[in-house]
Amino acid sequence: MTVRESGRTTVPRSRSLRQLVCGGIGHTVESHDWYVYTFLAVYFSDDIFPKSSGDPLVPLLNTFAVFALAFAARPVGATVMGWYADRFGRRSALIVTILLMGLGSLMIGLTPSYATAGPLAPVMLIAARLVQGFSLGGEYGAATTFLVESAAPGRRALFSSFQYVASSVGHILAGLSTLAASQISGDGMDRWGWRLPFVWGAVICLAGLVIRSTAEETLPTGTEGGRKKTRTGAFAALRSHPRQTLLVVGLTIGGNVAFYTWTTYLPTYATVSTGADKDGAVLAGTVSLIFFGLIQPLGGLLCERIGGRVMMIGFGVAAAVLTVPLLTAMSGWFWSVLAVQCAGMLVLTAYTSVSGAINAELFPQELRGRGIGLPYAASVALFGGTAPYVGTWLTSMGLNDFFPWYVAVLCLVTALTAIGLPRSVPDTRDGPASPAQSLSPDFERHA
């Protein structure tokens, strides 16, 4: 229950903490299940896909093709679950997404090898990843909306930044799961040990389900701001707010290709491009993710002081300028991989700590789940999810030096989009975080 104090809405600390945990736990377990795939790709690719005598990278390339293909399900999940969250509530949508992620993870853990089942093995892997892609597509919009609507006054950016704190925890668990499984002696890791983190991921999804069942719904029933709630279609936000939809796409393009590069693909990139040790690269990735998670709230607090537009411009410009020198300077030495990844994540924080709050504030409450989810998921599917595949493909073609430029150019797109935002764009520093408040009309008047 919220109370009013000196004209401001005060949210009890115990409720705020519970809402943070309930909103973030899905990102933790889903990030573990989603990203453990990339950590383990170098281990299970030869087990699921047939080997090629001509190019040893073919199974790995196929594995990342499936990773990219799963992102095609994200816009579908975002559309369906965004409508579901706006129609039946954020809490209900978040319970469905975490259940589906656990199912997909269990399917991967039980996928037979190519030697045992032939083509059925990659087919089952693809099906499992599509289930996970659908789930994760629905998770972002619902979780972002849930956290922003749960925030106390002036704390929307801080609350939204906890998505990436939770995501980092999931990344760290994925790294620890991989490192623990890699201790299996002999060739056990390549033959069957890689399955254990996926099965473990399904188990922790059940824990996340229990936690989310205690969440307090943030979507009011009945009326909103004196207006009767209307039941609109899955694409209502796209039809009524096309400018905001394009802004979400533009802001997401560079931010997500950078996110998947620094948090997900870098251990593999270091392995295939610099000859870094597999286990050492995963360890560097895990340590850097701890650093990344710790600095997210700091980024959110900074955003509350200087504003989201400034933060987003800073990210785009810094990433466009620094990505190439950072990635080209990296060697196979453990400390080099760790230093480069931490530097990249420091720049990335200027995006991750503010993007959720900006995206949420571009749409009115009754369309927020759909407004955020679909354009975000579509952009991630086209650019973020394909980053590992593009990087691996360029390496297989002997063009690995081109990948840093690819990332830098897309980050420049985000910078230009952020610069194009009107100065009166809803600011994460202003106003209460009332769930019923719609900031979109202000945007329309000033745009």
Side-chain angles (χ1 to χ4, degrees):
M1 175 178 178
T2 59
V3 297
R4 297 196 64 85
E5 182 179 284
S6 302
R8 293 173 61 85
T9 302
T10 302
V11 180
R13 182 174 299 179
S14 59
R15 173 186 178 273
S16 296
L17 180 60
R18 184 179 72 249
Q19 295 293 88
L20 274 178
V21 173
C22 290
I25 189 63
H27 265 58
T28 296
V29 298
E30 292 189 324
S31 292
H32 172 276
D33 294 350
W34 186 259
Y35 296 115
V36 78
Y37 181 97
T38 61
F39 287 152
L40 293 168
V42 293
Y43 295 101
F44 72 79
S45 57
D46 288 342
D47 201 28
I48 301 298
F49 293 96
K51 298 180 177 63
S52 171
S53 59
D55 187 350
L57 281 178
V58 167
L60 183 60
L61 196 59
N62 289 334
T63 303
F64 281 130
V66 174
F67 181 82
L69 178 63
F71 280 78
R74 290 185 64 154
V76 179
T79 302
V80 174
M81 296 309 300
W83 169 83
Y84 188 91
D86 289 339
R87 175 69 180 86
F88 298 102
R90 324 306 190 194
R91 175 180 174 274
S92 180
L94 293 176
I95 288 175
V96 172
T97 57
I98 202 170
L99 278 172
L100 290 176
M101 181 58 70
L103 173 62
S105 186
L106 183 61
M107 288 174 64
I108 296 176
L110 299 178
T111 296
S113 67
Y114 191 87
T116 301
L120 178 63
V123 168
M124 186 168 176
L125 178 66
I126 291 171
R129 290 296 290 175
L130 289 176
V131 170
Q132 290 185 317
F134 181 95
S135 171
L136 198 54
E139 171 73 15
Y140 179 81
T144 298
T145 301
F146 177 84
L147 287 171
V148 169
E149 291 175 351
S150 298
R155 286 293 180 262
R156 294 193 293 275
L158 179 62
F159 266 54
S160 69
S161 73
F162 272 85
Q163 284 188 95
Y164 289 96
V165 174
S167 180
S168 297
V169 173
H171 275 76
I172 293 166
L173 290 176
L176 293 176
S177 298
T178 303
L179 290 171
S182 68
Q183 303 307 306
I184 298 173
S185 60
D187 61 350
M189 180 63 173
D190 294 309
R191 290 190 298 106
W192 58 272
W194 62 266
R195 301 176 185 277
L196 298 179
F198 290 110
V199 175
W200 166 243
V203 172
I204 61 176
C205 278
L206 294 178
L209 176 63
V210 172
I211 293 173
R212 278 199 163 166
S213 66
T214 67
E216 180 179 326
E217 179 58 62
T218 63
L219 180 66
T221 57
T223 60
E224 297 174 5
R227 295 177 290 109
K228 187 176 180 179
K229 290 177 65 176
T230 58
R231 298 182 183 181
T232 52
F235 298 98
L238 178 62
R239 292 194 302 267
S240 60
H241 298 80
R243 178 176 170 81
Q244 288 93 323
T245 299
L246 290 175
L247 284 171
V248 173
V249 171
L251 295 174
T252 303
I253 285 175
N256 270 274
V257 75
F259 178 80
Y260 283 99
T261 296
W262 293 113
T263 66
T264 304
Y265 179 57
L266 197 74
T268 300
Y269 180 80
T271 300
V272 300
S273 296
T274 68
D277 175 69
K278 289 180 184 179
D279 294 342
V282 171
L283 177 60
T286 303
V287 173
S288 64
L289 284 167
I290 295 173
F291 168 74
F292 183 62
L294 290 175
I295 62 177
Q296 292 308 297
L298 300 179
L301 291 172
L302 178 62
C303 174
E304 304 292 356
R305 296 182 64 87
I306 68 175
R309 180 176 178 271
V310 174
M311 289 279 285
M312 191 67 75
I313 293 173
F315 157 74
V317 173
V321 171
L322 296 176
T323 297
V324 174
L326 282 174
L327 289 181
T328 54
M330 185 174 62
S331 68
W333 187 38
F334 169 82
W335 293 106
S336 173
V337 176
L338 178 61
V340 167
Q341 193 164 8
C342 285
M345 288 180 173
L346 182 62
V347 174
L348 180 62
T349 297
Y351 168 81
T352 55
S353 61
V354 67
S355 61
I358 289 180
N359 291 341
E361 291 182 353
L362 294 178
F363 298 93
Q365 185 209 24
E366 65 271 15
L367 296 175
R368 215 171 259 160
R370 285 161 284 183
I372 299 171
L374 179 56
Y376 178 89
S379 182
V380 172
L382 291 173
F383 298 98
T386 57
Y389 180 83
V390 170
T392 305
W393 177 77
L394 288 172
T395 299
S396 70
M397 298 293 290
L399 302 172
N400 54 297
D401 290 341
F402 282 79
F403 181 70
W405 288 102
Y406 170 76
V407 177
V409 169
L410 293 182
C411 289
L412 183 60
V413 172
T414 291
L416 294 175
T417 302
I419 291 172
L421 288 170
R423 294 187 180 276
S424 55
V425 67
D427 196 297
T428 56
R429 297 171 296 176
D430 298 333
S434 170
Q437 183 183 26
S438 170
L439 297 176
S440 181
D442 289 333
F443 179 89
E444 294 287 0
R445 284 199 300 270
H446 294 293

